[in-house]
Amino acid sequence: DAGITQSPRHKVTETGTPVTLRCHQTENHRYMYWYRQDPGHGLRLIHYSYGVKDTDKGEVSDGYSVSRSKTEDFLLTLESATSSQTSVYFCATLETQEGYEQYFGPGTRLTVT
Amino acid sequence: GQQLNQSPQSMFIQEGEDVSMNCTSSSIFNTWLWYKQDPGEGPVLLIALYKAGELTSNGRLTAQFGITRKDSFLNISASIPSDVGIYFCAGREIGGSQGNLIFGKGTKLSVKP
């Protein structure tokens, strides 16, 4: 357990509004990830970070941006939310560079109306 | 991109029965992980495998890293109602980017009490 919290846990927003989701970890893990989970698609990687200010795109990065100014925080921003971004978003952290055991947060359920 | 084929997609079993599920890939992996997700929560790591042929247990759960390095198996013995949930496999390709994982779409397990 990497002590991962996500906020908010639930959010309803309107199309076109900006939204920021926060992931906070207390274990000083180097790597952090944002996934979205949708029925029929499983978990898909949006963006990831391999250190402070070091980020890269995942499989479904269009429409999303991220920032990591501190080791413990990884922010996911939807600049202009669309209905297709309605999903459950999970943050994960990776314990070490040699092992690949990712630990997940509790998720944020986002609804874009 | 690379996808994992996880089967079965869902299964109903009687309490006390053994359960088997598997995951296959088209490329060679150096890591296999198995997660369980309960409704409304994030995936929880069950077992991690790092060597071909490796067999690892966690209570009533046993997972194996296939000798071809293209598959993995999870068995649950003497299932109980709390085993209900979605089980995900995840793997890392040899030469894969950073600590990124590829996820299967899950096996939904339902137990008849």
Side-chain angles (χ1 to χ4, degrees), chain A residues 82-94:
Chain A
T82 67
S83 58
S84 65
Q85 293 176 312
T86 292
S87 186
V88 181
Y89 292 86
F90 288 101
C91 172
T93 70
L94 178 61

Side-chain angles (χ1 to χ4, degrees), chain B residues 33-52:
Chain B
L33 306 172
W34 286 92
Y35 291 86
K36 183 193 177 197
Q37 185 177 25
D38 292 325
E41 299 182 10
V44 174
L45 181 66
L46 299 173
I47 294 176
L49 303 160
Y50 290 102
K51 296 180 181 179

Side-chain angles (χ1 to χ4, degrees), chain B residues 1-2 8-10 16 18 20 24 29 32-33 36 44 52 55 57 59 61 66 79 81 92 102 104 106 109 112:
Chain B
Q2 165 71 273
Q9 290 184 338
S10 63
D18 296 343
S20 293
T24 60
F29 280 21
W32 285 100
L33 306 172
K36 183 193 177 197
V44 174
L55 190 70
S57 294
L61 278 62
S79 58
R92 182 179 182 274
I102 299 168
L109 183 62
K112 298 177 184 178

Side-chain angles (χ1 to χ4, degrees), chain A residues 9 31 33 35 37 40-43 45 48 50 90 94 99-106, chain B residues 30-31 33 35 37 40-43 45 48 50 88 92 97-101 103-105:
Chain A
R9 293 293 315 277
Y31 294 85
Y33 304 82
Y35 293 90
Q37 185 176 42
H41 290 280
L43 287 159
L45 181 65
Y48 64 98
Y50 46 97
F90 288 101
L94 178 61
Y100 301 104
E101 299 167 25
Q102 291 186 19
Y103 295 91
F104 285 82
Chain B
N30 62 11
T31 301
L33 306 172
Y35 291 86
Q37 185 177 25
E41 299 182 10
L45 181 66
Y50 290 102
F88 291 98
R92 182 179 182 274
S97 175
Q98 304 290 344
N100 294 5
L101 299 175
F103 286 83
K105 294 184 178 180

Side-chain angles (χ1 to χ4, degrees), chain B:
Chain B
Q2 165 71 273
Q3 292 186 344
L4 296 183
N5 182 22
Q6 187 172 349
S7 64
Q9 290 184 338
S10 63
M11 54 195 315
F12 291 86
I13 60 171
Q14 289 284 349
E15 184 175 352
E17 288 184 347
D18 296 343
V19 174
S20 293
M21 60 190 77
N22 68 81
C23 212
T24 60
S25 69
S26 58
S27 57
I28 294 174
F29 280 21
N30 62 11
T31 301
W32 285 100
L33 306 172
W34 286 92
Y35 291 86
K36 183 193 177 197
Q37 185 177 25
D38 292 325
E41 299 182 10
V44 174
L45 181 66
L46 299 173
I47 294 176
L49 303 160
Y50 290 102
K51 296 180 181 179
E54 180 180 358
L55 190 70
T56 298
S57 294
N58 178 4
R60 294 178 294 103
L61 278 62
T62 301
Q64 185 166 22
F65 193 137
I67 58 174
T68 66
R69 296 192 284 175
K70 292 184 177 181
D71 53 12
S72 181
F73 309 87
L74 176 69
N75 295 311
I76 305 172
S77 63
S79 58
I80 59 178
S82 61
D83 290 333
V84 164
I86 302 177
Y87 292 80
F88 291 98
C89 62
R92 182 179 182 274
E93 292 179 279
I94 290 178
S97 175
Q98 304 290 344
N100 294 5
L101 299 175
I102 299 168
F103 286 83
K105 294 184 178 180
T107 294
K108 186 176 182 179
L109 183 62
S110 302
V111 177
K112 298 177 184 178

